[in-house]
Each structure stands twice: as structure tokens, then as C-alpha cells.
Amino acid sequence: MRFFIFITTILTVSAAVAGQGRSGADPLSRLQQMEMSGDVVITLDSLILENYNKHLIQNSRNRGVSGYRIRIFSDNGHGAKEKQRRVKADFLSTYPDITTYDRYEGSYYKIYVGDFRTRREALKVLNRIKSDFHDAFIVGDNIVIED
């Protein structure tokens, strides 16, 4: 247990140091490079290394961060896909500055709008569009953050 805490501490410290100017490889890779120069000796259980690498792969696949969107449309059945297209066109003609996302989830055609970091940001836009889209509401979602 102490060994795990030690490794976690090393990784955390190296990540903090890396955040102050270095870019590129992950913290463990940088530590391993230091090991080659003789500054540090690292002994890891293969399962720790395997789980660490799985974590890095999973995070690289996960685009965006937790945030909020507004759902303005959800319908299924005959004609739902065409209705989704009409609602999206209506929304974009009225609010061209807000990004829309079409989805098909569990036999429902849905439209989500916006990328909001906080619920408060989403609420401001919801109040703005509520007069045109009465059934709109805020949902938690994985949002896109532009650089």
C-alpha cells in the first residue's frame, strides 16, 4: 500500500511539474526517461503499468468534458426523422449562433443545442429560446470545448 501511495505521489508531482511548462509525453514516460539518465529508479508492478496505460487510452478516446446541453426535440414513430430536420432548420434560422447536435437514441430522434460548462450558462440560453421551444430543458452531457 505504501508503494502504491509512493508511486501515486511521484506521478502527481511529476504531473504538476510538467504542467509548468513541459508538454509532450505523459508523466510516467517522463519519469522513465529520467530513469534512463540515472536520476530516478522506478519499479512498477506490471498490473499498475497496464492499468495506467488503459487509463491513458480511455482518456484519449473521450473527447470533451462533462457539461450541459439543452434538448429541444425528442420524438419517435412515423415521420419523427423528418420532423427532427424541420425543427433543426427552424432552430438554426432563429438561433444561428448556437450549435446543434442530432442524435438517434433508443428509437427516439433528438436534438440537443449548445455546449455549456455550467448549468447557469445553459439556463441563460434556455430562457432565451424557451418562447420558441416550449418543451426545451437542460440535460447533462459530454460537451465539446473549443481551443
Side-chain angles (χ1 to χ4, degrees):
M1 183 65 174
R2 281 189 264 166
F3 176 74
F4 181 72
I5 292 171
F6 175 73
I7 292 298
T8 305
T9 303
I10 287 176
L11 292 174
T12 304
V13 168
S14 66
V17 169
Q20 296 181 8
R22 283 191 191 172
S23 61
D26 64 275
L28 184 59
S29 296
R30 286 192 298 274
L31 280 175
Q32 288 171 331
Q33 289 171 356
M34 290 172 65
E35 180 181 29
M36 287 182 221
S37 68
D39 296 339
V40 175
V41 177
I42 300 174
T43 306
L44 287 176
D45 183 86
S46 62
L47 291 176
I48 291 175
L49 186 57
E50 182 181 337
N51 283 332
Y52 178 78
N53 289 328
K54 284 180 183 177
H55 178 72
L56 289 178
I57 290 168
Q58 180 64 31
N59 280 347
S60 69
R61 290 181 187 159
N62 184 11
R63 297 201 166 254
V65 297
S66 293
Y68 298 92
R69 289 204 169 116
I70 300 170
R71 185 186 305 163
I72 62 168
F73 176 80
S74 179
D75 196 5
N76 67 350
H78 184 68
K81 188 173 185 177
E82 184 57 39
K83 189 172 180 185
Q84 178 193 40
R85 288 183 186 146
R86 283 194 312 269
V87 170
K88 181 179 179 178
D90 290 345
F91 182 85
L92 288 173
S93 68
T94 309
Y95 305 99
D97 58 319
I98 302 174
T99 308
T100 63
Y101 300 91
D102 299 348
R103 290 200 193 146
Y104 181 73
E105 299 173 335
S107 78
Y108 280 83
Y109 291 92
K110 299 178 181 181
I111 300 175
Y112 296 88
V113 299
D115 289 303
F116 309 105
R117 293 294 304 261
T118 65
R119 188 169 183 82
R120 186 176 187 165
E121 290 174 12
L123 190 57
K124 288 178 184 178
V125 174
L126 178 64
N127 290 335
R128 183 175 144 202
I129 69 172
K130 194 73 167 168
S131 61
D132 296 318
F133 298 90
H134 307 290
D135 296 330
F137 61 96
I138 298 171
V139 295
D141 203 353
N142 197 29
I143 63 168
V144 177
I145 300 297
E146 295 182 17
D147 294 328

